[in-house]
PDB file of all heavy atoms in Angstrom:
ATOM      1  N   ALA A 408      56.716 114.312 184.085  1.00 95.00           N
ATOM      2  CA  ALA A 408      57.469 115.429 184.656  1.00 95.00           C
ATOM      3  C   ALA A 408      58.929 115.051 184.867  1.00 95.00           C
ATOM      4  O   ALA A 408      59.836 115.864 184.634  1.00 95.00           O
ATOM      5  CB  ALA A 408      56.835 115.858 185.979  1.00 95.00           C
ATOM      6  N   ASN A 409      59.174 113.809 185.304  1.00 94.00           N
ATOM      7  CA  ASN A 409      60.551 113.347 185.514  1.00 94.00           C
ATOM      8  C   ASN A 409      61.376 113.436 184.248  1.00 94.00           C
ATOM      9  O   ASN A 409      62.507 113.938 184.253  1.00 94.00           O
ATOM     10  CB  ASN A 409      60.538 111.897 185.997  1.00 94.00           C
ATOM     11  CG  ASN A 409      60.720 111.783 187.488  1.00 94.00           C
ATOM     12  OD1 ASN A 409      61.828 111.680 187.962  1.00 94.00           O
ATOM     13  ND2 ASN A 409      59.631 111.840 188.218  1.00 94.00           N
ATOM     14  N   VAL A 410      60.828 112.935 183.152  1.00 96.00           N
ATOM     15  CA  VAL A 410      61.569 112.906 181.896  1.00 96.00           C
ATOM     16  C   VAL A 410      61.868 114.323 181.408  1.00 96.00           C
ATOM     17  O   VAL A 410      63.005 114.652 181.044  1.00 96.00           O
ATOM     18  CB  VAL A 410      60.787 112.120 180.826  1.00 96.00           C
ATOM     19  CG1 VAL A 410      61.411 112.308 179.442  1.00 96.00           C
ATOM     20  CG2 VAL A 410      60.756 110.640 181.191  1.00 96.00           C
ATOM     21  N   VAL A 411      60.846 115.173 181.408  1.00 98.00           N
ATOM     22  CA  VAL A 411      61.024 116.549 180.934  1.00 98.00           C
ATOM     23  C   VAL A 411      62.038 117.294 181.801  1.00 98.00           C
ATOM     24  O   VAL A 411      62.965 117.936 181.297  1.00 98.00           O
ATOM     25  CB  VAL A 411      59.671 117.290 180.908  1.00 98.00           C
ATOM     26  CG1 VAL A 411      59.867 118.774 180.597  1.00 98.00           C
ATOM     27  CG2 VAL A 411      58.739 116.658 179.886  1.00 98.00           C
ATOM     28  N   ASP A 412      61.875 117.189 183.117  1.00 98.00           N
ATOM     29  CA  ASP A 412      62.778 117.918 184.016  1.00 98.00           C
ATOM     30  C   ASP A 412      64.201 117.384 183.958  1.00 98.00           C
ATOM     31  O   ASP A 412      65.171 118.165 183.968  1.00 98.00           O
ATOM     32  CB  ASP A 412      62.260 117.834 185.454  1.00 98.00           C
ATOM     33  CG  ASP A 412      61.033 118.701 185.675  1.00 98.00           C
ATOM     34  OD1 ASP A 412      60.768 119.568 184.821  1.00 98.00           O
ATOM     35  OD2 ASP A 412      60.347 118.505 186.696  1.00 98.00           O
ATOM     36  N   ASP A 413      64.351 116.063 183.925  1.00 98.00           N
ATOM     37  CA  ASP A 413      65.702 115.498 183.875  1.00 98.00           C
ATOM     38  C   ASP A 413      66.438 115.972 182.627  1.00 98.00           C
ATOM     39  O   ASP A 413      67.634 116.281 182.677  1.00 98.00           O
ATOM     40  CB  ASP A 413      65.651 113.966 183.918  1.00 98.00           C
ATOM     41  CG  ASP A 413      65.342 113.436 185.308  1.00 98.00           C
ATOM     42  OD1 ASP A 413      65.434 114.215 186.268  1.00 98.00           O
ATOM     43  OD2 ASP A 413      65.005 112.244 185.430  1.00 98.00           O
ATOM     44  N   HIS A 414      65.726 116.040 181.502  1.00 98.00           N
ATOM     45  CA  HIS A 414      66.388 116.525 180.278  1.00 98.00           C
ATOM     46  C   HIS A 414      66.720 118.013 180.380  1.00 98.00           C
ATOM     47  O   HIS A 414      67.864 118.422 180.124  1.00 98.00           O
ATOM     48  CB  HIS A 414      65.500 116.294 179.057  1.00 98.00           C
ATOM     49  CG  HIS A 414      66.064 116.928 177.815  1.00 98.00           C
ATOM     50  ND1 HIS A 414      67.153 116.407 177.147  1.00 98.00           N
ATOM     51  CD2 HIS A 414      65.710 118.072 177.154  1.00 98.00           C
ATOM     52  CE1 HIS A 414      67.446 117.196 176.123  1.00 98.00           C
ATOM     53  NE2 HIS A 414      66.587 118.209 176.105  1.00 98.00           N
ATOM     54  N   LEU A 415      65.733 118.824 180.758  1.00 98.00           N
ATOM     55  CA  LEU A 415      65.953 120.272 180.784  1.00 98.00           C
ATOM     56  C   LEU A 415      66.965 120.683 181.851  1.00 98.00           C
ATOM     57  O   LEU A 415      67.615 121.721 181.722  1.00 98.00           O
ATOM     58  CB  LEU A 415      64.618 120.994 181.021  1.00 98.00           C
ATOM     59  CG  LEU A 415      63.562 120.824 179.912  1.00 98.00           C
ATOM     60  CD1 LEU A 415      62.297 121.601 180.268  1.00 98.00           C
ATOM     61  CD2 LEU A 415      64.106 121.277 178.559  1.00 98.00           C
ATOM     62  N   MET A 416      67.111 119.874 182.885  1.00 98.00           N
ATOM     63  CA  MET A 416      68.075 120.187 183.949  1.00 98.00           C
ATOM     64  C   MET A 416      69.425 119.521 183.713  1.00 98.00           C
ATOM     65  O   MET A 416      70.317 119.602 184.549  1.00 98.00           O
ATOM     66  CB  MET A 416      67.498 119.783 185.308  1.00 98.00           C
ATOM     67  CG  MET A 416      66.299 120.615 185.713  1.00 98.00           C
ATOM     68  SD  MET A 416      65.637 120.161 187.344  1.00 98.00           S
ATOM     69  CE  MET A 416      64.278 121.344 187.478  1.00 98.00           C
ATOM     70  N   GLY A 417      69.567 118.843 182.579  1.00 97.00           N
ATOM     71  CA  GLY A 417      70.863 118.272 182.215  1.00 97.00           C
ATOM     72  C   GLY A 417      71.298 117.102 183.067  1.00 97.00           C
ATOM     73  O   GLY A 417      72.500 116.859 183.244  1.00 97.00           O
ATOM     74  N   ILE A 418      70.338 116.334 183.593  1.00 98.00           N
ATOM     75  CA  ILE A 418      70.670 115.205 184.472  1.00 98.00           C
ATOM     76  C   ILE A 418      71.326 114.089 183.652  1.00 98.00           C
ATOM     77  O   ILE A 418      70.772 113.635 182.652  1.00 98.00           O
ATOM     78  CB  ILE A 418      69.413 114.680 185.190  1.00 98.00           C
ATOM     79  CG1 ILE A 418      68.743 115.801 185.996  1.00 98.00           C
ATOM     80  CG2 ILE A 418      69.770 113.492 186.083  1.00 98.00           C
ATOM     81  CD1 ILE A 418      69.636 116.483 187.011  1.00 98.00           C
ATOM     82  N   THR A 419      72.493 113.644 184.094  1.00 97.00           N
ATOM     83  CA  THR A 419      73.242 112.613 183.365  1.00 97.00           C
ATOM     84  C   THR A 419      73.041 111.215 183.948  1.00 97.00           C
ATOM     85  O   THR A 419      73.157 110.223 183.237  1.00 97.00           O
ATOM     86  CB  THR A 419      74.741 112.925 183.380  1.00 97.00           C
ATOM     87  OG1 THR A 419      75.199 112.961 184.745  1.00 97.00           O
ATOM     88  CG2 THR A 419      75.027 114.270 182.723  1.00 97.00           C
ATOM     89  N   HIS A 420      72.782 111.141 185.265  1.00 97.00           N
ATOM     90  CA  HIS A 420      72.614 109.853 185.949  1.00 97.00           C
ATOM     91  C   HIS A 420      71.345 109.912 186.798  1.00 97.00           C
ATOM     92  O   HIS A 420      71.207 110.809 187.635  1.00 97.00           O
ATOM     93  CB  HIS A 420      73.798 109.539 186.865  1.00 97.00           C
ATOM     94  CG  HIS A 420      75.115 109.411 186.148  1.00 97.00           C
ATOM     95  ND1 HIS A 420      75.741 110.473 185.541  1.00 97.00           N
ATOM     96  CD2 HIS A 420      75.919 108.325 185.963  1.00 97.00           C
ATOM     97  CE1 HIS A 420      76.880 110.054 184.995  1.00 97.00           C
ATOM     98  NE2 HIS A 420      77.006 108.756 185.246  1.00 97.00           N
ATOM     99  N   VAL A 421      70.442 108.965 186.583  1.00 96.00           N
ATOM    100  CA  VAL A 421      69.195 108.910 187.338  1.00 96.00           C
ATOM    101  C   VAL A 421      69.270 107.749 188.321  1.00 96.00           C
ATOM    102  O   VAL A 421      69.390 106.590 187.917  1.00 96.00           O
ATOM    103  CB  VAL A 421      67.989 108.736 186.399  1.00 96.00           C
ATOM    104  CG1 VAL A 421      66.707 108.516 187.211  1.00 96.00           C
ATOM    105  CG2 VAL A 421      67.834 109.960 185.501  1.00 96.00           C
ATOM    106  N   VAL A 422      69.233 108.078 189.618  1.00 96.00           N
ATOM    107  CA  VAL A 422      69.294 107.066 190.676  1.00 96.00           C
ATOM    108  C   VAL A 422      67.894 106.893 191.256  1.00 96.00           C
ATOM    109  O   VAL A 422      67.255 107.872 191.648  1.00 96.00           O
ATOM    110  CB  VAL A 422      70.261 107.490 191.799  1.00 96.00           C
ATOM    111  CG1 VAL A 422      70.337 106.403 192.878  1.00 96.00           C
ATOM    112  CG2 VAL A 422      71.633 107.790 191.240  1.00 96.00           C
ATOM    113  N   ARG A 423      67.395 105.672 191.291  1.00 93.00           N
ATOM    114  CA  ARG A 423      66.089 105.408 191.876  1.00 93.00           C
ATOM    115  C   ARG A 423      65.983 103.928 192.236  1.00 93.00           C
ATOM    116  O   ARG A 423      66.844 103.120 191.876  1.00 93.00           O
ATOM    117  CB  ARG A 423      64.973 105.821 190.912  1.00 93.00           C
ATOM    118  CG  ARG A 423      64.998 105.133 189.577  1.00 93.00           C
ATOM    119  CD  ARG A 423      63.982 105.772 188.637  1.00 93.00           C
ATOM    120  NE  ARG A 423      64.024 105.188 187.312  1.00 93.00           N
ATOM    121  CZ  ARG A 423      63.775 105.854 186.196  1.00 93.00           C
ATOM    122  NH1 ARG A 423      63.472 107.128 186.248  1.00 93.00           N
ATOM    123  NH2 ARG A 423      63.813 105.261 185.025  1.00 93.00           N
ATOM    124  N   GLY A 424      64.910 103.569 192.929  1.00 90.00           N
ATOM    125  CA  GLY A 424      64.703 102.186 193.336  1.00 90.00           C
ATOM    126  C   GLY A 424      64.311 101.301 192.169  1.00 90.00           C
ATOM    127  O   GLY A 424      63.783 101.778 191.151  1.00 90.00           O
ATOM    128  N   ASN A 425      64.559  99.997 192.311  1.00 90.00           N
ATOM    129  CA  ASN A 425      64.284  99.095 191.181  1.00 90.00           C
ATOM    130  C   ASN A 425      62.794  98.876 190.940  1.00 90.00           C
ATOM    131  O   ASN A 425      62.418  98.234 189.964  1.00 90.00           O
ATOM    132  CB  ASN A 425      65.014  97.755 191.362  1.00 90.00           C
ATOM    133  CG  ASN A 425      64.406  96.881 192.446  1.00 90.00           C
ATOM    134  OD1 ASN A 425      63.545  97.312 193.216  1.00 90.00           O
ATOM    135  ND2 ASN A 425      64.860  95.642 192.519  1.00 90.00           N
ATOM    136  N   GLU A 426      61.942  99.431 191.805  1.00 88.00           N
ATOM    137  CA  GLU A 426      60.501  99.350 191.529  1.00 88.00           C
ATOM    138  C   GLU A 426      60.120 100.174 190.294  1.00 88.00           C
ATOM    139  O   GLU A 426      59.026 100.020 189.743  1.00 88.00           O
ATOM    140  CB  GLU A 426      59.678  99.813 192.743  1.00 88.00           C
ATOM    141  CG  GLU A 426      59.833 101.273 193.113  1.00 88.00           C
ATOM    142  CD  GLU A 426      60.929 101.507 194.149  1.00 88.00           C
ATOM    143  OE1 GLU A 426      61.864 100.679 194.223  1.00 88.00           O
ATOM    144  OE2 GLU A 426      60.855 102.523 194.861  1.00 88.00           O
ATOM    145  N   TYR A 427      61.051 101.036 189.842  1.00 88.00           N
ATOM    146  CA  TYR A 427      60.792 101.845 188.645  1.00 88.00           C
ATOM    147  C   TYR A 427      61.315 101.186 187.365  1.00 88.00           C
ATOM    148  O   TYR A 427      61.200 101.760 186.283  1.00 88.00           O
ATOM    149  CB  TYR A 427      61.417 103.241 188.794  1.00 88.00           C
ATOM    150  CG  TYR A 427      60.737 104.080 189.854  1.00 88.00           C
ATOM    151  CD1 TYR A 427      61.334 104.260 191.109  1.00 88.00           C
ATOM    152  CD2 TYR A 427      59.499 104.659 189.618  1.00 88.00           C
ATOM    153  CE1 TYR A 427      60.699 105.009 192.086  1.00 88.00           C
ATOM    154  CE2 TYR A 427      58.857 105.402 190.588  1.00 88.00           C
ATOM    155  CZ  TYR A 427      59.464 105.581 191.819  1.00 88.00           C
ATOM    156  OH  TYR A 427      58.828 106.319 192.792  1.00 88.00           O
ATOM    157  N   LEU A 428      61.878 100.003 187.488  1.00 88.00           N
ATOM    158  CA  LEU A 428      62.362  99.306 186.289  1.00 88.00           C
ATOM    159  C   LEU A 428      61.248  99.123 185.260  1.00 88.00           C
ATOM    160  O   LEU A 428      61.452  99.318 184.057  1.00 88.00           O
ATOM    161  CB  LEU A 428      62.933  97.937 186.675  1.00 88.00           C
ATOM    162  CG  LEU A 428      64.380  97.896 187.178  1.00 88.00           C
ATOM    163  CD1 LEU A 428      64.695  96.518 187.733  1.00 88.00           C
ATOM    164  CD2 LEU A 428      65.353  98.262 186.078  1.00 88.00           C
ATOM    165  N   SER A 429      60.057  98.768 185.734  1.00 83.00           N
ATOM    166  CA  SER A 429      58.964  98.491 184.804  1.00 83.00           C
ATOM    167  C   SER A 429      58.483  99.736 184.067  1.00 83.00           C
ATOM    168  O   SER A 429      57.876  99.639 183.000  1.00 83.00           O
ATOM    169  CB  SER A 429      57.791  97.854 185.552  1.00 83.00           C
ATOM    170  OG  SER A 429      57.303  98.731 186.552  1.00 83.00           O
ATOM    171  N   SER A 430      58.763 100.919 184.653  1.00 83.00           N
ATOM    172  CA  SER A 430      58.345 102.170 184.000  1.00 83.00           C
ATOM    173  C   SER A 430      59.389 102.685 183.019  1.00 83.00           C
ATOM    174  O   SER A 430      59.079 103.542 182.190  1.00 83.00           O
ATOM    175  CB  SER A 430      58.089 103.250 185.059  1.00 83.00           C
ATOM    176  OG  SER A 430      57.079 102.868 185.950  1.00 83.00           O
ATOM    177  N   SER A 431      60.596 102.155 183.110  1.00 89.00           N
ATOM    178  CA  SER A 431      61.692 102.709 182.306  1.00 89.00           C
ATOM    179  C   SER A 431      61.472 102.623 180.795  1.00 89.00           C
ATOM    180  O   SER A 431      61.853 103.545 180.066  1.00 89.00           O
ATOM    181  CB  SER A 431      63.014 102.040 182.694  1.00 89.00           C
ATOM    182  OG  SER A 431      63.343 102.367 184.035  1.00 89.00           O
ATOM    183  N   PRO A 432      60.860 101.561 180.273  1.00 88.00           N
ATOM    184  CA  PRO A 432      60.601 101.560 178.822  1.00 88.00           C
ATOM    185  C   PRO A 432      59.747 102.743 178.384  1.00 88.00           C
ATOM    186  O   PRO A 432      59.965 103.323 177.314  1.00 88.00           O
ATOM    187  CB  PRO A 432      59.873 100.232 178.599  1.00 88.00           C
ATOM    188  CG  PRO A 432      60.331  99.359 179.721  1.00 88.00           C
ATOM    189  CD  PRO A 432      60.485 100.276 180.886  1.00 88.00           C
ATOM    190  N   LYS A 433      58.768 103.106 179.213  1.00 88.00           N
ATOM    191  CA  LYS A 433      57.927 104.262 178.881  1.00 88.00           C
ATOM    192  C   LYS A 433      58.760 105.549 178.885  1.00 88.00           C
ATOM    193  O   LYS A 433      58.577 106.427 178.041  1.00 88.00           O
ATOM    194  CB  LYS A 433      56.780 104.386 179.875  1.00 88.00           C
ATOM    195  CG  LYS A 433      55.851 103.175 179.921  1.00 88.00           C
ATOM    196  CD  LYS A 433      54.843 103.324 181.042  1.00 88.00           C
ATOM    197  CE  LYS A 433      54.028 102.059 181.236  1.00 88.00           C
ATOM    198  NZ  LYS A 433      53.095 102.149 182.367  1.00 88.00           N
ATOM    199  N   TYR A 434      59.685 105.637 179.867  1.00 91.00           N
ATOM    200  CA  TYR A 434      60.576 106.801 179.897  1.00 91.00           C
ATOM    201  C   TYR A 434      61.398 106.854 178.610  1.00 91.00           C
ATOM    202  O   TYR A 434      61.540 107.909 177.979  1.00 91.00           O
ATOM    203  CB  TYR A 434      61.543 106.726 181.084  1.00 91.00           C
ATOM    204  CG  TYR A 434      60.915 106.785 182.457  1.00 91.00           C
ATOM    205  CD1 TYR A 434      61.475 106.088 183.523  1.00 91.00           C
ATOM    206  CD2 TYR A 434      59.786 107.545 182.701  1.00 91.00           C
ATOM    207  CE1 TYR A 434      60.912 106.144 184.793  1.00 91.00           C
ATOM    208  CE2 TYR A 434      59.221 107.603 183.961  1.00 91.00           C
ATOM    209  CZ  TYR A 434      59.785 106.903 185.003  1.00 91.00           C
ATOM    210  OH  TYR A 434      59.237 106.964 186.253  1.00 91.00           O
ATOM    211  N   ASN A 435      61.954 105.719 178.231  1.00 92.00           N
ATOM    212  CA  ASN A 435      62.804 105.692 177.037  1.00 92.00           C
ATOM    213  C   ASN A 435      62.045 106.090 175.781  1.00 92.00           C
ATOM    214  O   ASN A 435      62.578 106.788 174.915  1.00 92.00           O
ATOM    215  CB  ASN A 435      63.418 104.300 176.858  1.00 92.00           C
ATOM    216  CG  ASN A 435      64.721 104.156 177.609  1.00 92.00           C
ATOM    217  OD1 ASN A 435      64.927 104.841 178.608  1.00 92.00           O
ATOM    218  ND2 ASN A 435      65.594 103.280 177.159  1.00 92.00           N
ATOM    219  N   ARG A 436      60.806 105.636 175.688  1.00 93.00           N
ATOM    220  CA  ARG A 436      60.012 106.002 174.511  1.00 93.00           C
ATOM    221  C   ARG A 436      59.770 107.507 174.464  1.00 93.00           C
ATOM    222  O   ARG A 436      59.703 108.116 173.400  1.00 93.00           O
ATOM    223  CB  ARG A 436      58.692 105.230 174.489  1.00 93.00           C
ATOM    224  CG  ARG A 436      58.878 103.725 174.295  1.00 93.00           C
ATOM    225  CD  ARG A 436      57.759 103.129 173.487  1.00 93.00           C
ATOM    226  NE  ARG A 436      57.681 103.725 172.162  1.00 93.00           N
ATOM    227  CZ  ARG A 436      58.404 103.324 171.111  1.00 93.00           C
ATOM    228  NH1 ARG A 436      59.268 102.324 171.247  1.00 93.00           N
ATOM    229  NH2 ARG A 436      58.262 103.914 169.952  1.00 93.00           N
ATOM    230  N   LEU A 437      59.642 108.126 175.640  1.00 96.00           N
ATOM    231  CA  LEU A 437      59.486 109.582 175.676  1.00 96.00           C
ATOM    232  C   LEU A 437      60.766 110.283 175.225  1.00 96.00           C
ATOM    233  O   LEU A 437      60.727 111.240 174.451  1.00 96.00           O
ATOM    234  CB  LEU A 437      59.096 110.038 177.088  1.00 96.00           C
ATOM    235  CG  LEU A 437      57.644 109.769 177.505  1.00 96.00           C
ATOM    236  CD1 LEU A 437      57.445 110.103 178.979  1.00 96.00           C
ATOM    237  CD2 LEU A 437      56.675 110.583 176.656  1.00 96.00           C
ATOM    238  N   TYR A 438      61.909 109.798 175.742  1.00 96.00           N
ATOM    239  CA  TYR A 438      63.192 110.385 175.304  1.00 96.00           C
ATOM    240  C   TYR A 438      63.328 110.277 173.779  1.00 96.00           C
ATOM    241  O   TYR A 438      63.726 111.234 173.101  1.00 96.00           O
ATOM    242  CB  TYR A 438      64.361 109.679 175.992  1.00 96.00           C
ATOM    243  CG  TYR A 438      64.620 110.142 177.399  1.00 96.00           C
ATOM    244  CD1 TYR A 438      64.317 109.324 178.486  1.00 96.00           C
ATOM    245  CD2 TYR A 438      65.188 111.385 177.658  1.00 96.00           C
ATOM    246  CE1 TYR A 438      64.551 109.740 179.788  1.00 96.00           C
ATOM    247  CE2 TYR A 438      65.426 111.811 178.965  1.00 96.00           C
ATOM    248  CZ  TYR A 438      65.101 110.984 180.019  1.00 96.00           C
ATOM    249  OH  TYR A 438      65.341 111.407 181.300  1.00 96.00           O
ATOM    250  N   GLU A 439      63.003 109.098 173.260  1.00 94.00           N
ATOM    251  CA  GLU A 439      63.126 108.889 171.817  1.00 94.00           C
ATOM    252  C   GLU A 439      62.139 109.768 171.045  1.00 94.00           C
ATOM    253  O   GLU A 439      62.467 110.307 169.983  1.00 94.00           O
ATOM    254  CB  GLU A 439      62.885 107.411 171.489  1.00 94.00           C
ATOM    255  CG  GLU A 439      64.011 106.500 171.982  1.00 94.00           C
ATOM    256  CD  GLU A 439      63.621 105.032 171.959  1.00 94.00           C
ATOM    257  OE1 GLU A 439      62.522 104.717 171.437  1.00 94.00           O
ATOM    258  OE2 GLU A 439      64.403 104.209 172.472  1.00 94.00           O
ATOM    259  N   ALA A 440      60.934 109.927 171.584  1.00 95.00           N
ATOM    260  CA  ALA A 440      59.929 110.753 170.911  1.00 95.00           C
ATOM    261  C   ALA A 440      60.387 112.210 170.819  1.00 95.00           C
ATOM    262  O   ALA A 440      60.139 112.893 169.819  1.00 95.00           O
ATOM    263  CB  ALA A 440      58.606 110.667 171.671  1.00 95.00           C
TER     264      ALA A 440
END
Side-chain angles (χ1 to χ4, degrees):
N409 260 270
V410 169
V411 172
D412 287 345
D413 285 346
H414 173 74
L415 296 181
M416 293 181 179
I418 303 304
T419 60
H420 298 67
V421 173
V422 181
R423 59 189 177 213
N425 72 350
E426 65 268 26
Y427 292 103
L428 277 170
S429 61
S430 300
S431 295
K433 300 174 188 177
Y434 296 147
N435 272 27
R436 294 214 60 85
L437 285 173
Y438 280 108
E439 290 166 7

